[in-house]
Structures are given as C-alpha cells and as structure tokens.
Amino acid sequence: MATTAIYPGSFDPITMGHIDIATRAAAIFDQVILAVYDTPAKSLIFSTPERVAMAEQAVAGVSNLEVQPYTGLTVDFAQRVGAKVIVRGLRAVSDFEVETQMALMNRRLAPGIEVVCLVTNLQYSFLSASLIKEVIKLGGPAQGLVPDFVAEALRQRFVERGEAAPVPRWLTS
Ligand code: ADP
C-alpha cells in the first residue's frame, strides 16, 4: 500500500533546509505533502497563498511532492489526506525537545500516526526562517540558504514595509 507523509510547518518563507528535508522525505515515502500551516502562533511575513506559491516553486521538480495549505490540528489534516506519517526536521537539541513534546501530544491525539524526524544536513544546521529574515532585513547575502526568488521576495517585502535597513553611510560616501 502506498504511504503518504505530510511535512507540516509555517514555511515563512521556505528555506534550503526545508527543501532538503522535503526532498529527502519524498525519496522515502510514495507521496509527500508539504503542508503549510495557515495560522501559526508566530507573526508572519508572508500570507498563506504567498507561502504556498513559494513552496510550490521551490519543490516543482519533485514529482511525488505537493504543497497544500491547512488549518486546525496537524493530525486532523494528516487523517484527511490519508497520511500515516508526519515528517519533521531536526537541527539541534532544542529542536529535539520541541519535536518530542509535539510528537507525544500528536500520538495522544491520533495514535495511528507516526512522527518521523530527519536530521538536517550539516550546511543547513544553523539555518532557520527567522534568522534568514533577519539577515535579509539587515541587507546581508542569502545565497545558498534560500532560493534566489525567495530572497528577492523577502527584500521586496521589507522595502514595502519600510523595514529594510538603510545602506550604511560609509558604503555610499
Ligand atoms: P515551525 O513553524 O514548527 O517552527 P518551520 O516552518 O520553521 O516549523 O519548519 C518546519 C519543519 O522544518 C520543522 O520540523 C523544523 O524543525 C524543520 N526545519 C526548519 N529549518 C530546518 C533546517 N535548516 N534543517 C532541517 N530542518 C529544518
């Protein structure tokens, strides 16, 4: 029987670390749905349709990987799409703590669903969506950490919001 897995998260925006986990999950499971959580507790820089569109563009080359938005409990979404597996990425010990807590709660809510954690690739182990937002907001480079079109969308969003860091005077004079 074909195994479907979901890879849930905020993806605000999608990074190379996310793409790496999603692609590796797609090499293990028959079908993977990258599930974009509509209403995370954190403040978002991109709307749900924007996060979905960027994730779709980023994983377009992987045939058994699709992107869908969802609201409500992750386990409910998993059951709705017939997924028995929730994939998560692990970077540091701090992730392990959070992921274990969440996995135990999810098992209580839906005992039939297994959480599978994939360990990050070393070059993305320090990478998080919030850190990349900070770097780009302050005018730093993001090559190799997010797709170029994501970096561009972030830069544009910070300019629109009037939050882009001004170019330092010593650079212009
Ligand atoms: P959340 O909103 O739960 O923090 P994110 O959208 O930030 O989720 O990330 C979704 C999943 O991807 C989480 O399991 C997170 O640990 C994982 N992840 C995020 N960045 C990386 C990375 N650089 N390498 C591996 N996994 C990552």
Side-chain angles (χ1 to χ4, degrees):
M1 204 184 83
T3 309
T4 299
I6 63 165
Y7 174 38
S10 320
F11 305 105
D12 184 47
I14 191 156
T15 70
M16 293 304 196
H18 295 134
I19 296 167
D20 176 57
I21 296 288
T23 310
R24 285 161 55 203
I28 301 173
F29 302 105
D30 298 303
Q31 181 69 26
V32 175
I33 299 168
L34 190 154
V36 179
Y37 185 41
D38 188 39
T39 47
K42 45 195 169 191
S43 66
L44 296 168
I45 191 128
F46 292 112
S47 69
T48 302
E50 286 170 334
R51 286 178 288 139
V52 167
M54 281 189 276
E56 273 173 345
Q57 193 174 339
V59 301
V62 190
S63 62
N64 63 334
L65 184 50
E66 63 171 291
V67 181
Q68 282 187 38
Y70 77 102
T71 54
L73 287 173
T74 301
V75 288
D76 286 348
F77 177 72
Q79 275 160 345
R80 240 184 356 260
V81 296
K84 286 207 158 50
V85 177
I86 296 175
V87 171
R88 297 285 288 176
L90 282 185
R91 282 159 295 186
V93 179
S94 50
D95 273 352
F96 178 83
E97 252 179 71
V98 175
E99 294 301 337
T100 308
Q101 201 179 11
M102 211 149 39
L104 290 172
M105 178 57 83
N106 279 335
R107 187 173 310 150
R108 194 188 149 91
L109 294 169
I113 295 178
E114 285 294 346
V115 174
V116 172
C117 289
L118 299 182
V119 174
T120 184
N121 263 323
L122 204 52
Q123 73 262 41
Y124 306 131
S125 59
F126 61 93
L127 177 58
S128 70
S130 45
L131 194 53
I132 208 73
K133 281 185 269 193
E134 201 61 25
V135 169
I136 290 190
K137 189 171 165 178
L138 297 174
Q143 277 100 342
L145 300 179
V146 289
D148 289 345
F149 72 88
V150 169
E152 203 36 56
L154 269 172
R155 277 188 206 107
Q156 205 176 327
R157 183 54 47 93
F158 286 125
V159 168
E160 283 162 17
R161 288 162 58 130
E163 292 174 6
V167 178
R169 201 168 300 152
W170 59 266
L171 263 180
T172 52
S173 58

